[in-house]
Amino acid sequence: MRGAFLLEPRGDEMTHDRRQKSEPQSRSALGVPHPCVFAMETRGKRLLPFLLVLIAAAVAPSAMSRDEREVVKVSGAPDGVVWAAQLSDLHFSVHHPERAYDFRRYVGPALAMVNPDLVLITGDLTDGKSKDLLTMKQNEAEWVEYESTMKEIIESSKLPRRIFYDLRGNHDSFGVPASGDDYDFYNKYSINAKLRRQGRVQSITLENSGRKHLFVGFDSTMEIGLRGPTNLFGHPTDKQVIELDQALSQWDTDFDKAPVTKIAFGHFPLSFSALTESGKSIKDVFLKQSLAAYLCGHLHTRFGKNLKRYYHRQVQEPSLSEHYYQLNMHQGDAIHSNKENCSEEAAHIEEFWEWEMGDWRKSRSMRVLAIDDGYVSYTDIDFRLGSKSIIILPTFPLDSRFMQRASGFRDFKCHVPGASSFDTVRALVFSKHEIVSVSIKIYDSRPGTLEVVFDSEMKRVDSNETRGNMYLIPWNWRAFEDSSPSRYWLQIEVMDITGDTSVSQLRPFSVNGLSARVNWTWKEFFVMGIQWASIYHPALWCAFSLIFSLLLVPQVLAVVFKDQFTYKCLCTYGRQRTLLKSLVGGFICSFVELARVILVWLLLLLYAVYLVFIPWLFGHPVTEDGSLTFMTYKGWILKGPNSSNKVVHAGIPDVMVIVLPHLCFVLLPTIVILAAMAAERAAYREHYLSRSGKKKDDYYQKSRRQIEHENFWNGRWIRKFLCVLCVVVLWKHWKLCRALVKAYAMNSLLHAPVLFFFIPLLMVFAIYKTWSI
């Protein structure tokens, strides 16, 4: 046992004691009444405090109150230092038993070696998918595997179960109608449930050397757990946001004013978190509380290793585009002035880092995060190459790419000479065997190559700690001041008694508190930089606007200008125009020709109207034995939670994974391809008519190039190519329809005949209509 739980006395008990002491005075002031009246009065006064407590509990929010704050005093660790381990996206599956096997093999020994204060598991504990990945629902066998695996991990690591916090992810809520339902295996097998951690917000405070370290976890999964693929986003409610804000601010009014470092952890990154019913955002709560970091999962490392994002409250109003996307990791950095305000009133800077965690599913990743004198750092461990006997975590100076904050510049400008935080380079070292040596190298990258400018042995801190080894070395930190945040690079090398050596990842640092810029790859930007919940409706109506414009505007042109937008006119004036004008003219003529194939054009228009006003499909979005319901672009229409008769639109913006692909990769390409077919028919008609008016002997007087041109048109190779494109679109459409049938236990003929069969039949009909001239 590394610490004891400290609970402050409850306010209702103190109130009750004070009331009991004041009762004799009250009765003496009133005189002695009739015995019956006296007895009733006494019972009433005794019950009054309890009634007040009950009323207060009924009207107060369900967040943790000040009197229920859980504090653990950390022991056996270096002064002012705490550390935690994070794992995410385990995806234990009956179809992939190697995930649980590797978890037992590597994580247990690693946790025993690191001996963290907390173990955070941020969602997707089980996979909940069929072998073909198309049916998504809870599988109790996977939860039994998770329970037995975690029990073995706790036993092998010899860590207390109470330090484990396992949150729910979207995979853990597939097909769960409500919390506590028969399908809610999380409430039966998770560690949080077994420890009776009620509610969707939990917090714990680690205290070491007078400094508090507040960890707040929250579950923002759907209240009605839809089955995938329309269960992709976090859905916080107004109530959860209030509870989260209260949990993060629980020490703000404390009288001792001890320094508090705040860490939040959850499953969903902010780019995949929806707004609340009233339009509130988790991001605003994090900025208000100025978190050190928000730890999350969900995205997996297949999208990249730089899934991190820095948030800062700007002085000026953010532009409209910033509500929808952020181009790079550090966009919105604070503008530092040469005259930094060092007063206590100016100390609060609204900022935080978001650090997505690599997945265990394929990457076999684990993160160790440390807080040293308020500075937060981490290192990621990859078990794909085997177990680790040495883990190195530099805690100061910080990596200027991913860990530096705007407040770091203020710390540098307002630095008090002699303060211990800047005077030493520090690192935590965890090892299975006795450590022989720890050395540090600092490189200067200005010459164009890495040149060693500091090389020294680090010394272990001599204290009473029984967990973790803190090594440090004094340095002249002012010698490394530089305007470039990536000029100096740091690396630590460790050797144990067996001769095994390990080096930390080479990382840049800036004692000035400046942030090194890191650019996302396009995949990293796609999942971290775009606010998908905010962009769904603009993208949806842009797609619909484009579809209706491509159908209605050419029809107007065909009616008003009649024969002006034809292939013959394009050929007549084409030689007098530039290439760009010719391409634009050909594009317009293609859709005008489609408008002239009136039946095909009308069917396309009716289908677009159908998608706006009529349900797309019927299915079972929660469980097969549940009631059949329907989906539109507004989401699934379901009854509200707790058996209420209120109808809700569930799965907004999650349905975008069905709606936008169908509009952008099926309907839009279909319109373009059919327009091209109509234009090809018009061009071939002109070619045929021009050829039929010439003599047969003229054929032998043509050049080779003219003959090849004739054969090209006679073979109608453009049409054949367009038919191949039709097959590609139909293949994409078939994949989407097959996934929906599997996902929602539906019959294609009964539950979605228009969505499934309209496009294929329309393509066949359009090919037939545009074949003849």
Side-chain angles (χ1 to χ4, degrees), residues 176 198 301 377 379 450 467 495-496 547 554 638-639 659 691 724 726 763:
V176 178
Q198 302 298 325
T301 52
S377 56
T379 185
L450 294 178
R467 302 186 301 114
M495 184 173 69
D496 64 19
I547 289 169
L638 301 172
K639 287 186 178 180
V659 174
R691 187 187 62 179
V724 172
C726 286
M763 280 189 171

Side-chain angles (χ1 to χ4, degrees), residues 694-706:
K694 295 182 179 181
K695 298 179 181 179
K696 188 176 182 179
D697 295 339
D698 292 343
Y699 178 81
Y700 300 100
Q701 300 175 5
K702 295 179 181 178
S703 64
R704 181 178 178 182
R705 185 173 181 179
Q706 290 175 322

Side-chain angles (χ1 to χ4, degrees), residues 479-492:
F480 297 96
E481 292 182 33
D482 196 83
S483 58
S484 171
S486 56
R487 175 181 175 180
Y488 295 106
W489 294 68
L490 177 145
Q491 191 172 49
I492 294 174

Side-chain angles (χ1 to χ4, degrees), residues 502-522:
S502 179
V503 294
S504 65
Q505 184 184 25
L506 197 64
R507 58 174 65 182
F509 68 90
S510 170
V511 296
N512 304 51
L514 304 176
S515 297
R517 300 285 173 163
V518 179
N519 293 322
W520 280 322
T521 64
W522 72 268

Side-chain angles (χ1 to χ4, degrees), residues 395-398 415 419-426 440-443 453-458 472-481 488-490 508-512:
T395 61
F396 189 84
L398 298 177
H415 179 68
S420 59
S421 60
F422 272 63
D423 290 342
T424 57
V425 178
R426 302 182 295 279
I440 176 177
K441 287 184 174 67
I442 295 180
Y443 300 89
V453 293
F454 186 85
D455 187 354
S456 181
E457 289 288 324
M458 301 182 75
L472 58 81
I473 180 72
W475 67 330
N476 180 16
W477 60 271
R478 291 195 179 276
F480 297 96
E481 292 182 33
Y488 295 106
W489 294 68
L490 177 145
F509 68 90
S510 170
V511 296
N512 304 51

